[in-house]
Amino acid sequence: MTSRMTLALNPIQWWATDDGWLDPGLAPQPAELLALVKKAGFDAVMAAVPAGHTVAAYAALLDNAGLRPAPGYFVCRSQGDPADAPAVIEAAAAAARDHAELGLTDIGLGLPMIKGGPRILRPAQGTEPDAGRVAALTDLLGRLAEAMRAEGVRPALHPHVGTWIETEAETRAVLDAVPAEQLGFLPDTGHLSWAGADVAGLVADYGSRIPFLHIKDARMAVAEQGRAAGQDYQRTVVDGLWTEPGRGDLDLIGIVAALPDHFAGCLMVEVDRPALTDPYESAVASARWMRSAFALDG
């Protein structure tokens, strides 16, 4: 299995803000950033066409850097309101067309994090659960998936702390309602763990639907302390929740081992807020640990 996996980076450690959020405007210019990702030891980078670039121009930047595109991420900016559906579906189809032009067949699909929202104020606890809302979102996500599949790209559900699909129960509800051929599954080791999910169990149960994983490590004592103190998402992040792979408490090797033996997808590192202060050194340490832990060539 390991010899067929690709090591990728979503370079968000360059985006980390002092207040525990992410600002893409903090990243270096696209060509410089891609060169740093390659130099750090990655084979691929999360596909994200920069503003002002065509897909062809972005593909040329990737080629010049010696990187392959790895599946990107589409945010469904709706809370399930039917009135939002036409615009959101068209945006999803457009993102799928961009991915198809890059030669990709998968893309992550998630919901937005809203500053000041109840699940940002009380994160990773399934705050204000609502089965009706989950059902409405499932219907919308199913329609998005159908539109994206029509473009040749299958979306993969990405549960995320701070959104309305956060918990293991919510994740299973959506995946069990939408056919596998329409909707894959994109686990994030850190977000699901923070929300109390059995990540390895989810990976084992839905492994055939997983095209790639987000690999994130976390210090669970920080998560527990934040929950006990009633801290919000950003405060918990600032207190040191996230760290480079291998530096936290998560059994990343065990989670990856739960994948099917034939898995040949992408392991995509994400370090939302690096423990190492320099983003490039964070990327280097991440690549080094991943290659050692999973016997990846490079």
Side-chain angles (χ1 to χ4, degrees):
M1 180 178 73
T2 53
S3 64
R4 298 194 298 271
M5 294 190 294
T6 299
L7 180 60
L9 179 69
N10 180 6
I12 53 178
Q13 55 260 80
W14 275 274
W15 304 2
T17 64
D18 290 340
D19 66 351
W21 212 246
L22 295 170
D23 178 5
L26 297 177
Q29 290 299 305
E32 179 185 356
L33 178 60
L34 294 177
L36 289 169
V37 171
K38 179 64 176 180
K39 183 180 177 183
F42 290 88
D43 302 315
V45 67
M46 191 187 85
V49 180
H53 288 65
T54 64
V55 176
Y58 177 57
L61 287 177
L62 291 170
D63 189 59
N64 288 340
L67 289 169
R68 284 174 275 170
Y73 187 52
F74 177 76
V75 179
C76 171
R77 300 198 178 279
S78 172
Q79 306 302 316
D81 186 342
D84 299 337
V88 174
I89 290 171
E90 176 48 39
R97 284 192 293 273
D98 286 353
H99 266 51
E101 189 174 342
L102 288 169
L104 295 165
T105 57
D106 300 284
I107 186 172
L109 173 61
L111 298 172
M113 298 172 67
I114 301 173
K115 282 189 177 182
R119 290 196 172 182
I120 295 296
L121 296 176
R122 296 181 298 283
Q125 300 171 65
T127 301
E128 297 185 10
D130 185 331
R133 180 177 55 232
V134 171
L137 286 168
T138 299
D139 179 73
L140 177 58
L141 293 172
R143 295 173 66 187
L144 291 182
E146 184 176 2
M148 296 173 108
R149 287 289 289 141
E151 303 293 341
V153 175
R154 186 181 69 158
L157 178 70
H158 186 53
H160 199 290
V161 170
T163 76
W164 293 124
I165 305 297
E166 179 182 71
T167 66
E168 179 171 346
E170 290 162 348
T171 299
R172 289 181 180 274
V174 177
L175 290 174
D176 290 347
V178 183
E181 60 269 20
Q182 292 291 332
L183 184 66
F185 176 36
L186 167 54
D188 182 300
T189 59
H191 281 280
L192 284 167
S193 294
W194 187 10
D198 173 8
V199 185
L202 281 167
V203 169
D205 289 347
Y206 298 97
S208 63
R209 298 174 71 161
I210 298 175
F212 65 113
L213 282 80
H214 282 182
I215 301 292
K216 188 185 274 93
D217 211 342
R219 300 183 179 101
M220 297 311 293
V222 176
E224 293 162 9
Q225 290 163 9
R227 186 178 295 112
Q231 293 179 174
D232 65 9
Y233 183 101
Q234 290 166 267
R235 182 68 255 169
T236 306
V237 168
V238 169
D239 281 354
L241 173 68
W242 305 125
T243 188
E244 290 77 16
R247 293 171 176 254
D249 304 316
L250 304 188
D251 181 13
L252 300 177
I253 293 173
I255 292 170
V256 172
L259 286 164
D261 289 340
H262 63 269
F263 180 79
C266 176
L267 301 180
M268 183 177 292
V269 172
E270 286 191 333
V271 184
D272 295 45
R273 185 179 178 86
L276 299 173
T277 54
D278 180 75
Y280 173 71
E281 292 303 323
S282 169
V284 170
S286 298
R288 184 181 298 122
W289 187 86
M290 291 289 293
R291 290 198 181 280
S292 175
F294 299 109
L296 299 171
D297 296 332

